[in-house]
């Protein structure tokens, strides 16, 4: 079974392999009372990736390592600069399926093969405080890299690694770094040993020699061709309407792929965030149909809607249960009659589909992986319409205003209806349209700046208000169901009626607040 360790570390350059790598006296680092020599560990690690290095491109590393005190399989997932989650699995001859699953959104159907072998002699020291508590581990690693695929090169180097102790204060690493910098030791230019190994052992293209026409002799053209050999990178700044929308689409595609491992690991809020990314994508396709051809994006939208539904199988029930539990907790004890909490727990459990396993099956399934590939294809070769090449100030603004007008129509219809189920449905429709308009404004913000950012805030506020109303509708429906079950079981249904009344009051309060809220939004207008 794999387990997880949060790794916070910094890497520094050492002298060339074979040279001395003296460290300064680290006992003078504030908070350090002792430096304990833990000896040298011989480490042998083989790194795996696809032939086109999809994991390395995403700053993920997967290795099988022997030696040291943590031999086994290690998958490292980036969290932020200098911070990674290391997923560990016991040593085995083949890659553990648990780890393969965590990189499936990256590799899809591609095979994982050995790419690099790293042999390291790790000279380890522990920095401890006055009580002997470990503050950080400092190691001097003498590394030899051997290319196993995609070339046959090798490289050697020395580096210094400082890893914070579990639950340590990251600020302590700043204190160590200050000492290292004073000793002339600087940060490594490579993010990881694997990144450096791949770069240092990559096959080098042979240099082309030029001939001088005047003499017929081979001329030194290295200086003359410097600019041609190293062209300036293309300007990636979005300029057209299509550029801006594709940037937003690409960000949502990346979010889905990057959140996949977190969803599999059941990281809090990861399912919700992935679901939001799918909704943002689908909304963007619909809002910007004049930029991205809907004959191409509509089928993808269908698949995104399917994925969002799968992600929400248990989420909606979980949120509803939270609302009911909170409402029950807020009631005075003298208003709670009968086994209400027990019935709520039973009711909620019966409606949970046990979908954890189902969701993992979805993420491993062909339909989901095909969707990811389709999104890659769309980003690589977008189905752009004629308007995509135009200035964003006109095309994008027009699309956002169109969405805003639809929100206005729906809010107006809801306000004209009397309280009841029809108004409830109209307000729910307005909420969905407000959410779509918010996403359209998000995509527009880099191009339209403050007006779009202001609209995002307005739609978020409206969405929250209408969401509170929809929550009340759902809670009241659940309470009717619970009261019916309780009555059939011979239980007192009084508490459900009290909760229903309170939920009804919240809905009425929202309905009373909506006209003023909407008037303020209309006064600001769209972009």
């Amino acid at each position: 079974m794999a387990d997880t360790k949060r790794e916070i570390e910094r890497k520094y350059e050492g002298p060339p392999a074979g040279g001395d790598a003296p460290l300064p006296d680290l006992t003078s680092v504030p908070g350090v009372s002792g430096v304990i020599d833990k000896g040298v560990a011989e480490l042998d690690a083989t790194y795996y990736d696809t032939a086109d290095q999809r994991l390395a491109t995403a700053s993920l590393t997967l290795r099988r390592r022997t030696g040291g005190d943590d031999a086994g399989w290690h998958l490292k997932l980036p969290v932020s600069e200098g911070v990674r989650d290391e997923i560990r699995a016991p040593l085995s001859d083949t890659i553990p399926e648990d780890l393969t699953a965590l990189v499936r959104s990256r590799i899809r159907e591609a095979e994982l093969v050995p790419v690099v072998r790293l042999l390291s002699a790790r000279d380890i020291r522990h920095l401890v405080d006055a009580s002997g508590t470990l503050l950080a581990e400092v190691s001097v690693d003498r590394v030899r890299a051997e290319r196993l695929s995609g070339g046959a090169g090798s490289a050697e180097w020395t580096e210094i690694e400082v890893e914070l102790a579990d639950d340590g204060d990251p600020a302590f690493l700043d204190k160590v770094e200050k000492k290292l910098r004073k000793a002339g030791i600087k940060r490594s230019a490579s993010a990881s040993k694997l990144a450096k190994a791949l770069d240092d052992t990559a096959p080098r293209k042979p240099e082309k020699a030029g001939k001088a026409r005047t003499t017929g002799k081979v001329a030194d053209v290295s200086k003359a061709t410097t600019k041609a050999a190293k062209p300036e990178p293309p300007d990636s700044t979005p300029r057209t309407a299509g550029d801006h929308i594709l940037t937003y689409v690409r960000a949502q595609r990346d979010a889905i792929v990057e959140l996949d491992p977190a969803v599999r690991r059941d990281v809090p809020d990861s399912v919700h965030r992935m679901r939001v990314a799918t909704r943002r994508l689908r909304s963007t396709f619909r809002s910007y149909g004049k930029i991205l051809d809907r004959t191409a994006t509509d089928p993808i939208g269908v698949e995104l809607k399917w994925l969002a539904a799968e992600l929400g199988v248990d989420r909606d029930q979980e949120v509803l249960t939270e609302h009911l539990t909170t409402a029950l907790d807020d009631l005075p004890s003298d208003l709670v009659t009968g086994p209400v909490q027990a019935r709520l727990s039973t009711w909620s459990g019966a409606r949970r589909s046990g979908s954890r396993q189902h969701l993992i099956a979805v993420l491993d399934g062909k339909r989901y992986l095909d969707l990811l590939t389709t999104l890659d294809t769309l980003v690589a070769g977008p189905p752009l319409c004629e308007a995509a090449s135009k200035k964003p100030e006109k095309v994008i603004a027009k699309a956002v205003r169109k969405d805003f007008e639809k929100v206005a129509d729906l809010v107006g219809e809801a306000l004209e209806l009397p309280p009841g189920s029809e108004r409830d449905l109209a307000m729910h429709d307005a909420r969905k349209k407000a959410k779509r308009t918010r996403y359209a404004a998000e995509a527009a913000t880099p191009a339209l700046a403050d007006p779009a950012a202001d609209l995002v805030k307005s739609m978020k506020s409206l969405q929250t208000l209408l969401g509170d109303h929809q929550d009340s509708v759902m809670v009241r429906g659940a309470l009717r169901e619970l009261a019916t079950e309780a009555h059939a079981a011979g239980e007192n249904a009084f508490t459900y009626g009290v909760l229903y009344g309170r939920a009804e009051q919240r809905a009425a309060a929202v309905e009373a607040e909506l006209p003023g809220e909407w008037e303020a939004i209309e006064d600001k207008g769209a972009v």
Side-chain angles (χ1 to χ4, degrees):
M1 180 66 66
D3 60 88
T4 304
K5 179 181 184 298
R6 177 61 56 90
E7 180 183 81
I8 303 176
E9 65 180 18
R10 297 180 187 177
K11 297 180 182 296
Y12 302 86
E13 294 182 1
D20 293 331
L23 289 170
D25 179 13
L26 297 177
T27 56
S28 60
V29 173
V32 175
S33 293
V35 178
I36 303 174
D37 189 341
K38 304 297 288 187
V40 177
E42 300 293 337
L43 309 177
D44 186 344
T46 299
Y47 288 76
Y48 288 75
D49 204 338
T50 60
D52 53 358
Q53 297 180 12
R54 298 180 193 179
L55 299 187
T57 300
S59 299
L60 276 69
T61 61
L62 173 62
R63 73 186 179 200
R64 180 186 187 275
R65 190 169 78 179
T66 58
D69 57 5
D70 63 345
W73 288 90
H74 307 148
L75 171 64
K76 297 191 178 187
L77 306 173
V79 177
S80 59
E81 184 179 359
V83 182
R84 296 186 290 182
D85 278 343
E86 184 176 88
I87 318 298
R88 299 176 175 179
L91 200 62
S92 62
D93 293 334
T94 58
I95 303 173
E97 178 56 32
D98 285 353
L99 301 190
T100 302
L102 291 175
V103 297
R104 187 155 288 130
S105 66
R106 300 287 184 182
I107 67 173
R108 316 290 164 77
E109 301 300 328
E111 181 183 7
L112 289 169
V113 297
V115 291
V116 165
R117 183 185 184 190
L118 295 184
L119 300 170
S120 303
R122 170 164 288 182
D123 191 356
I124 304 170
R125 295 166 178 79
H126 282 181
L127 307 185
V128 298
D129 63 14
S131 66
T133 301
L134 179 65
L135 298 172
E137 179 177 285
V138 180
S139 63
V140 179
D141 295 346
R142 292 179 171 82
V143 186
R144 175 176 174 78
E146 299 174 355
R147 190 79 170 217
L148 301 178
S149 64
S154 64
E156 294 185 2
W157 71 89
T158 300
E159 71 177 35
I160 298 167
E161 191 174 284
V162 183
E163 182 175 350
L164 189 68
D166 292 347
D167 301 321
D169 181 0
F172 177 71
L173 295 182
D174 295 332
K175 299 175 182 178
V176 177
E177 179 163 312
K178 184 176 181 180
K179 186 66 178 179
L180 294 177
R181 284 186 177 278
K182 284 184 177 180
I185 298 171
K186 60 182 180 179
R187 287 273 195 110
S188 174
S190 298
S192 67
K193 287 185 176 65
L194 176 62
K196 181 171 177 59
L198 289 172
D199 184 58
D200 288 357
T201 64
R204 303 301 179 187
K205 294 182 179 180
E207 295 183 2
K208 293 182 179 180
K211 293 184 178 181
R213 294 182 180 179
T214 54
T215 63
K217 296 180 180 180
V218 176
D220 181 2
V221 296
S222 59
K223 293 182 180 180
T225 60
T226 297
K227 289 186 178 180
K230 295 182 178 181
E232 291 295 320
D235 185 0
S236 59
T237 303
R239 299 185 186 282
T240 66
D243 291 341
H244 282 280
I245 299 311
L246 284 174
T247 297
Y248 190 75
V249 166
R250 190 177 296 111
Q252 306 318 312
R253 184 279 311 268
D254 292 348
I256 293 173
V257 173
E258 291 167 5
L259 284 165
D260 180 291
V263 170
R264 293 174 185 271
R265 294 163 56 206
D266 203 18
V267 174
D269 204 40
S270 59
V271 171
H272 172 66
R273 290 166 60 202
M274 182 186 278
R275 197 181 184 193
V276 168
T278 65
R279 287 171 169 170
R280 282 178 166 141
L281 262 180
R282 184 164 172 258
S283 292
T284 301
F285 292 155
R286 297 175 70 183
S287 294
Y288 294 106
K290 297 294 185 182
I291 295 175
L292 293 172
D293 187 353
R294 288 195 59 173
T295 61
T297 61
D298 278 357
I300 303 175
V302 171
E303 295 304 286
L304 290 167
K305 183 178 181 180
W306 160 78
L307 178 58
E310 294 289 2
L311 291 166
V313 167
D314 272 356
R315 175 60 182 168
D316 291 341
Q317 179 63 38
E318 179 183 346
V319 171
L320 181 56
T321 301
E322 288 175 358
H323 283 306
L324 289 166
T325 301
T326 300
L328 182 60
D329 290 343
D330 288 342
L331 277 185
S333 59
D334 60 340
L335 295 181
V336 180
T337 59
V340 181
Q341 184 61 63
R343 177 156 297 282
L344 175 57
S345 298
T346 302
W347 173 85
S348 177
R351 280 152 186 77
R352 288 182 65 89
S353 61
S355 64
R356 183 74 200 151
Q357 293 79 7
H358 172 75
L359 179 55
I360 297 302
V362 166
L363 298 183
D364 286 337
K366 186 176 184 301
R367 186 173 181 179
Y368 167 70
L369 297 177
D370 284 349
L371 171 58
L372 296 184
T373 300
T374 299
L375 290 173
D376 289 345
T377 302
L378 179 136
V379 168
L384 297 174
C385 300
E386 183 179 351
S389 61
K390 297 181 179 179
K391 293 182 178 180
E393 292 80 5
K394 293 184 178 181
V395 179
I396 292 179
K398 184 178 180 179
V400 175
R401 284 195 297 269
K402 185 177 179 180
D403 277 348
F404 182 80
E405 289 167 3
K406 291 179 180 178
V407 175
D409 290 342
L410 289 170
V411 172
E413 290 174 12
L415 291 175
E416 290 176 0
L417 292 169
S421 59
E422 287 189 25
R423 174 181 269 197
D424 292 343
L425 183 59
M427 292 180 70
H428 182 47
D429 288 341
R431 172 178 174 263
K432 291 188 291 185
K433 188 62 67 178
K435 186 184 299 184
R436 174 174 156 181
T437 305
R438 171 188 168 188
Y439 296 153
E442 283 180 354
T445 297
L448 306 182
D450 289 346
D454 290 341
L455 183 59
V456 170
K457 294 178 182 177
S458 294
M459 290 298 99
K460 185 176 182 180
S461 176
L462 178 62
Q463 177 187 331
T464 299
L465 184 65
L466 295 174
D468 289 343
H469 186 274
Q470 179 62 15
D471 288 342
S472 170
V473 172
M474 299 302 294
V475 164
R476 282 178 282 161
L479 288 168
R480 281 194 296 268
E481 188 176 336
L482 282 163
T484 299
E485 291 180 4
H487 179 75
E491 298 167 5
N492 191 322
F494 169 78
T495 299
Y496 304 106
V498 173
L499 291 173
Y500 188 99
R502 289 192 168 197
E504 200 169 40
Q505 287 177 348
R506 284 195 298 274
V510 170
E511 292 177 18
E513 185 180 349
L514 180 59
E517 175 78 10
W518 179 246
E519 183 178 355
I521 291 173
E522 273 198 311
D523 286 344
K524 293 179 182 178
V527 296

